[in-house]
Structures are given as C-alpha cells and as structure tokens.
C-alpha cells in the first residue's frame, strides 16, 4: 500500500492505494486539511498531522487504520511527527519555555518526555534513526535560505548540527543509520528556481 495526500473539495485528504488490486481508498473526509502520513511499522495504521486553525494554536497528530475507521487523536504538535521503528513512541515538537522542544511520547500520547530545547528556526521534518537512538530534524533560518539538519540523541538530548547552508528539501536516514541522504541546492548556479541534488553525509 502507498499512503498519499490529494485535494478533495479544497481540503487535503489522506488516501491509500492498494498496489495489488490498484484500488483507491479515501481515509479522511472532513472539512480539515490532513497531511504528512507516516506508516506504523506493522502497516496496520498510520499517523498524520492536522495543522492548527490559527498561528496561536498547535496542530494535532492523529492515528487511523490503514483501511479506514475513526481517527484517534494522539498529541498536540507544532509540525508533523514521526513514529519509532519499534512502533512504541512518537517524536514531535511542542512549545516549551518560549521556544520549541523535541519531545518523545508513548504511542498513545502519554508519558511525554522532553529530549532537547531547540534553536530558533522553522522546522519541517522529524525522523527517527533506524535504531531509534537518535532523531534528526530539518530547520531553516529566519530568512528561509539557510537550511540545517540536526541530530539529537534520545538518551542524553545531545544535539549535533550535521548539515548547514543552502536550501534543503527533505532528508532520509540511510538504512544502517550511518548517515543521511538529503536534497540540497548547494552549488546551484540558478537562484530561482534553484537546482537540487541528492547528497550523503
């Protein structure tokens, strides 16, 4: 199955494509945007993000069955979250002490633990490492033109900046957790639109 987002009547809704039969299944149908689906490890459910109604509010992370049903609210978050590879924990960003914090919660949203306070910036992607010992985050500076990828250790909260400079358009962990593949405009001779290339670090 493949999960994706498609606009229906002006709202972003979640869909599933069944590869064997080629059929489509619409999972969400209300008058709200639903974005960034992430599969649970067993593929029976997925989590997704509903953005806030206003800038003064948080968004919400939800869980829904892969074949539909009623969604279950998990936890408030400022950006889309990620589910750990063991299927037991959720990583999200939440406001804390006038800044953002990386927090980890149980799958049901309980037992919230703050991992690290984060530097100022705009955050867009949170991803667990394959061994669930670290979490990588993509952020941009206030200007929006300088991108960064930070890696935080879950046990100690230690944060390392592993990528900096140029525009970034997403990243993924290597399967063995030894590094990251990311999309960067570094070296592009075109200012707009820039040319992006995949890089490994």
């Amino acid at each position: 199955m493949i999960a994706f987002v498609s606009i229906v009547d002006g709202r972003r809704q979640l869909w599933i494509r069944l590869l064997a039969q080629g059929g489509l299944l619409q999972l969400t149908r209300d008058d709200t945007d639903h974005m960034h689906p992430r599969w649970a490890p067993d593929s029976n459910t997925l989590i997704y993000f509903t953005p806030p109604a206003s800038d003064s509010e948080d968004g919400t992370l939800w869980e829904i069955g892969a074949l539909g049903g009623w969604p279950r609210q998990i936890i408030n978050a400022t950006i889309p979250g990620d589910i750990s590879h063991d299927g037991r924990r959720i990583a999200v960003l939440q406001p804390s002490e006038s800044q953002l914090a990386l927090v980890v919660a149980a799958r049901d949203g309980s037992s919230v633990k703050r991992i690290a306070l984060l530097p100022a910036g705009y955050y867009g992607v949170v991803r667990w490492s394959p061994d669930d010992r670290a979490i990588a985050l993509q952020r941009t500076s206030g200007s929006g033109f300088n991108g960064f990828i930070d890696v935080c250790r879950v046990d100690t909260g230690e944060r390392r900046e592993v990528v900096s400079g140029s525009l970034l358009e997403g990243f993924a962990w290597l399967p063995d957790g030894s590094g990251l593949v990311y999309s960067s405009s570094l070296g592009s001779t075109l200012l707009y639109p820039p040319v992006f290339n995949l890089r490994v670090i």
Side-chain angles (χ1 to χ4, degrees):
M1 296 181 287
I2 296 176
F4 64 97
V5 175
S6 182
I7 295 178
V8 179
D9 296 328
R11 292 294 187 181
R12 294 174 176 87
Q13 304 292 348
L14 300 187
W15 294 74
I16 297 293
R17 178 176 286 278
L18 307 173
L19 294 181
Q21 297 87 7
L24 288 173
L25 175 64
Q26 185 176 346
L27 296 184
T28 59
R29 297 177 178 274
D30 55 11
D31 189 30
T32 306
D33 285 317
H34 305 291
M35 307 177 332
H36 303 282
R38 296 288 292 167
W39 286 102
D42 61 8
S43 299
N44 290 327
T45 63
L46 49 83
I47 63 172
Y48 63 92
F49 180 71
T50 299
S54 69
D55 291 340
S56 62
E57 300 174 329
D58 286 340
T60 308
L61 211 63
W62 300 79
E63 184 171 23
I64 193 170
L67 298 179
W70 290 104
R72 179 180 64 84
Q73 183 175 340
I74 301 174
I75 193 171
N76 289 346
T78 58
I79 66 169
D82 196 22
I83 188 167
S84 60
H85 293 81
D86 63 11
R88 298 178 181 175
R89 295 172 291 174
I90 301 289
V92 296
L93 301 189
Q94 291 184 334
S96 178
E97 301 177 12
S98 301
Q99 60 188 112
L100 286 179
L102 171 64
V103 302
V104 170
R107 178 81 170 265
D108 63 1
S110 65
S111 304
V112 177
K113 177 184 176 184
R114 188 176 77 183
I115 302 301
L117 289 174
L118 302 174
Y122 299 99
Y123 289 82
V125 182
V126 177
R127 292 290 179 263
W128 287 89
S129 64
D131 62 5
D132 290 336
R133 294 182 179 178
I135 299 171
L137 308 100
Q138 179 181 315
R139 64 183 166 94
T140 57
S141 65
S143 67
F145 292 102
N146 291 322
F148 307 87
I149 298 176
D150 300 327
V151 174
C152 292
R153 288 190 50 165
V154 175
D155 56 352
T156 65
E158 176 190 359
R159 182 181 59 84
R160 289 183 298 120
E161 183 182 288
V162 296
V163 175
S164 64
S166 73
L167 291 173
L168 300 178
E169 288 289 342
F171 69 89
W173 284 91
L174 294 174
D176 63 0
S178 63
L180 300 163
V181 177
Y182 64 99
S183 175
S184 171
S185 66
L186 182 65
S188 174
T189 57
L190 295 176
L191 295 179
Y192 186 82
V195 175
F196 289 86
N197 292 286
L198 292 179
R199 297 176 176 270
V200 177
I201 192 166

